[in-house]
Amino acid sequence: MKDDHILPFLWMRGEPEATIRREIAKINDCGISALCLEARPHKDFCGPGWWHDVDIVLDEARRRDMRVWILDDRHFPTGYANGLIETKYPERRKQYLNYTSAEIYGSAKPLELDISGMLKPPTPYWELGKPADPERENNTLFSVTALRFADRGEAAGGPDAYATETVDLTADVRGGRLHFRLPEGAWRVVVVYRTRTDGGDPAYINLIDKTSAHTQIEGVYETHYSHYASEFGRTIAGFFSDEPQFGNMPGLGFGAVVGRCEMPMPWSDELEERLREKYGSSLESLLPFLWLDAEEGSVSAAFRFAYMDNVSKLYEQNFSRAIGDWCRAHGVSYIGHVVEDSGSHSRLGIGAAHYFRAMAGQDMAGIDCIGDQVVCGAPFEERRGMVRIDGEFFHYTLGVLGASAGHLDPAKKGRTMCELFGAYGWRFGVRDMKYVLDHLLSRGVNYLVPHAFSMAEYPDPDCPPHFYAGGNNPEYPYFQYLMRYADRMCRLLSGGVHVPVAAVLYDAEAEWAGDRMPMQKVIRELHTHQIDLDIVSLDMLGRLKEHYGTHTESGAEEGRRDRLVIGGVSFRVLIVPRMQRMTSALAEFIAQEPDFPVLFTDALPEGVADAQNAKALPAAVTSCPVVPLTDLSAWIRKNGFADVAAETAEEAAAPESAGEYADAQDPADLTVYHYRKDRDLYLLLNESPSRRFSGRLTVSAAGRRSAEISLEPLECVVFQDSENGGLEKTDTGITLAEMPESTQNRIRLSGNWKVSRVRAIAYPDFPEEREIADLAPVSEEAPDFSGVIRYRKEFEMPAKPAEAVLVCENVFEVMKVRVNGQEAGMILQPPYRIRVDAFLTAGRNTLEIEVATTPDRDQQNYPAPPFVPEYTAQEPTGLWGDVELVWR
């Protein structure tokens, strides 16, 4: 099967055949030979209307030698199983454990408690009169446990804590009532019950129940196979899962951290069996610590860790691997992504508990980057739209998280997919798409699912931008150009191996077991000092080391096994972000590999979460170096681990706060991604929106090589090892015009233009031109205009130049240049300059510049959408400021 690196979403709503075929043609015109059917808007998914439309899609795809992927459910997110839980298998609904409690104060005396009335959440007075869910009558008792309030002393005012020794009262429940006597003091009686009603959408599968999870395969995968078996592995390439999640609480549920959030906990018979095997009859007494804190914190931490460890492994086994195995057995691939947002990758709620385990069954690693998650010029700021966005996570960690799974898991074959561009809004044009794309490439992403092509009537308010939009997007021709660049870059960064310096430990287990430094803190420190890295999970170091081919080997010093190899990728050091408690798997790895450097940031852990003696650290751990976060990059350079250095033309003095390992200040906005094929490649991205980077790049991976570099704001280039022992630029498909060496000759072109403008739907039928003396933003006179503005003028050249560059000061948003009727090229982002000497002649010349806007301002001409995710400013449109020709 062809290796298609770009497969955009095509939203299906039951459009006419001609419309479907036209939209596929528009996708194909971008140089794209695959697409992914987005089923969510279709009203007859897996019904006759759906099969009719898919027949058309497959026929058109065959005609164009394209491949088709299918998003795997009727509704978002994946897990609805095409409605089978509602219509066929209500007994397979999600199952939870939840709790209620009663506070008992006073002296010891016989008491009774109505347990039957406590098998559901309490009803607040403001919900009186609302109909009750009859399914709650089927809730069943799991355990009743009495916890004594601990004497908090100086900790008064903080969260309640409870003595570790508990009293199991479950056997004292008779006829729905608890008959009990407790010693004198303050107690909380905790009633834990099974329920199918207290969580999120009850129409979804239980991801940690094998039978329930298989419903997804039955409802979608087997149904498609029964219709298109002969196309599997041919025209049909595979399936795409979109954000499957535990959904154990209503709403978005971003903060669903075990022990820190009041929520029903996902449950299944399989989970109970696993926990029962570990804890036996003690399980009932420990269950309250899923929600409540033990006075001895290591007790609740250990149980929460065990719970999340088993939940995430069951998700991996029953959902991710089960679907992936089914797909591969039927000749197709399985891809998709979970919710990674702001820590959800390791949580319940909207998350999937453990990113790497959730990806285990997929043939590519997957993430999404939508809705302002990555924004130029905002690498760490918190942004507030529909939700709060942790800029530091998205900028420094999101792409690395996905690419690490792609790099390190042999089953992924180096492939990392990202769904991108969706829900940024109509203001988000090709200029900004180019930056987001380059940002993701610089983290290791090499497969793309652009979001989206929509056939709905323009303007479709559902998660724009839409790239063609029925001919209403002025930037569609520029999007075509961008996609050809994207395909070239994705192929350039595929088929080889990543060459990082550091392994950063994935922080899921640390969060389950207590307080921890988010891993993005460490990754930011490394990235801003040009130290390349991957994120590694504990499974790669222990449980699944055979699958990953994990081992140590000798580096420069013979006999000293100081290199860690995972999935064929070699590391010089493992960095552990500060954590309150580590795990026995990490402790065992450190003890088994004494030659390989492992360092902890800021402090050693206080104990081992899942060890019998939770407060004792093994000697191998206590001998590991501890380095302050702010000194981390300097420590790596001092120890000779870093293989890339970027120095500014004028080195800044090291800041006084840099500490013991002070080094010259590195350029924080420069990202370097090191990749190896037949030769070493270095992708460089200047992520500053306003500052040029000028300096020297020095690499030492295969002998010391260096090159002078100068990167404009947001410029992305790729260097490779040259045959003469240096570094040379490789062709990426988009090359920024260099200014002539001598800039003495300049022709100012800012005045006296003939201008015409047209909406995209009517392009290129421009109306009559009008003359303007000075360039000014079109939005000043037409604030609601979106489309294409054409600027034409004639000028004299005293001679045919050897070299000439057209420079435009301000353009919104993209431009195309013609000289004497010949197309010189497109420019997608600042600086807006283009080489034109090949088209110029001595004497009179004609210059034509087309500027295309985003569809954003045009939205003022339509009814307001049903929701506004955020509020943003608008930039001026058109061409304005200085325009000049620099030549020699």
Side-chain angles (χ1 to χ4, degrees), residues 419-688:
E419 174 195 332
L420 70 170
F421 302 154
Y424 270 85
W426 288 113
R427 64 179 169 79
F428 188 69
V430 169
R431 179 196 67 184
D432 295 336
M433 291 180 192
K434 169 72 163 55
Y435 165 69
V436 169
L437 169 63
D438 287 339
H439 170 93
L440 293 164
L441 292 169
S442 74
R443 271 60 177 175
V445 170
N446 52 11
Y447 286 77
L448 309 173
V449 179
H451 180 306
F453 280 86
S454 171
M455 296 178 281
E457 182 180 358
Y458 172 82
D460 181 0
D462 195 344
C463 298
H466 304 298
F467 309 126
Y468 181 63
N472 288 279
N473 192 330
E475 295 191 354
Y476 169 69
Y478 300 84
F479 179 78
Q480 292 176 297
Y481 184 32
L482 179 67
M483 288 298 98
R484 287 182 168 83
Y485 163 78
D487 184 71
R488 185 184 187 98
M489 290 292 284
C490 286
R491 293 181 188 280
L492 180 66
L493 300 173
S494 296
V497 62
H498 184 216
V499 189
V501 171
V504 175
L505 187 67
Y506 183 53
D507 61 0
E509 289 86 350
E511 183 176 60
W512 302 342
D515 185 32
R516 60 65 165 117
M517 172 190 289
M519 61 186 173
Q520 53 260 40
K521 302 292 183 185
V522 170
I523 295 171
R524 175 181 174 182
E525 167 67 16
L526 298 179
H527 255 296
T528 55
H529 291 84
Q530 296 76 53
I531 296 174
D532 208 350
L533 66 117
D534 275 323
I535 301 167
V536 305
S537 73
L538 281 170
D539 288 345
M540 299 174 190
L541 305 178
R543 180 175 73 101
L544 298 177
K545 62 188 305 181
E546 289 188 11
H547 169 79
Y548 285 94
T550 303
H551 64 279
T552 55
E553 61 186 25
S554 297
E557 186 178 340
E558 189 65 33
R560 182 174 172 80
R561 303 181 67 83
D562 58 357
R563 302 290 174 92
L564 173 65
V565 180
I566 304 175
V569 176
S570 178
F571 299 95
R572 303 293 304 277
V573 60
L574 173 64
I575 302 169
V576 182
R578 178 184 53 77
M579 55 178 59
Q580 185 178 5
R581 299 178 183 89
M582 65 188 301
T583 64
S584 57
L586 177 58
E588 290 168 10
F589 170 79
I590 294 172
Q592 292 168 2
E593 303 293 348
D595 291 342
F596 180 71
V598 178
L599 69 83
F600 289 81
T601 55
D602 286 357
L604 288 173
E606 66 181 42
V608 182
D610 55 338
Q612 279 193 331
N613 185 352
K615 290 188 175 182
L617 285 179
V621 174
T622 59
S623 65
C624 289
V626 177
V627 178
L629 176 65
T630 53
D631 290 344
L632 184 58
S633 297
W635 186 94
I636 288 173
R637 293 200 183 279
K638 181 178 179 181
N639 282 273
F641 297 150
D643 62 354
V644 174
E647 298 172 318
T648 56
E650 298 178 0
E651 287 188 358
E656 294 180 4
S657 60
E660 177 185 354
Y661 307 104
D663 195 4
Q665 182 69 34
D666 286 321
D669 293 319
L670 182 66
T671 297
V672 180
Y673 175 68
H674 186 182
Y675 197 70
R676 180 171 294 152
K677 297 176 81 170
D678 57 338
R679 61 179 71 187
D680 282 43
L681 303 173
Y682 302 90
L683 185 153
L684 278 64
L685 174 63
N686 179 8
E687 300 205 54
S688 170

Side-chain angles (χ1 to χ4, degrees), residues 93-104:
R93 291 170 64 176
K94 289 186 287 188
Q95 185 179 168
Y96 312 100
L97 288 188
N98 206 357
Y99 85 103
T100 55
S101 66
E103 295 162 358
I104 309 296

Side-chain angles (χ1 to χ4, degrees), residues 51 70 72 213-233 236-241 316-335 360-363:
W51 307 128
I70 300 170
D72 68 348
H214 183 80
T215 312
Q216 186 71 29
I217 296 175
E218 178 184 344
V220 178
Y221 292 75
E222 291 176 347
T223 304
H224 279 81
Y225 188 74
S226 69
H227 279 78
Y228 299 118
S230 63
E231 295 289 358
F232 271 47
I236 296 178
F239 291 87
F240 183 111
S241 277
E316 172 188 349
Q317 170 187 299
N318 292 338
F319 184 78
S320 183
R321 290 195 185 275
I323 293 179
D325 290 345
W326 186 96
C327 284
R328 288 181 286 275
H330 291 78
V332 293
S333 296
Y334 177 47
I335 64 174
Q362 295 188 181
D363 293 291

Side-chain angles (χ1 to χ4, degrees), residues 828-843:
L828 305 185
Q829 64 184 149
Y832 293 96
R833 63 187 193 220
I834 186 168
R835 188 86 176 260
V836 294
D837 46 84
F839 313 103
L840 291 169
T841 62

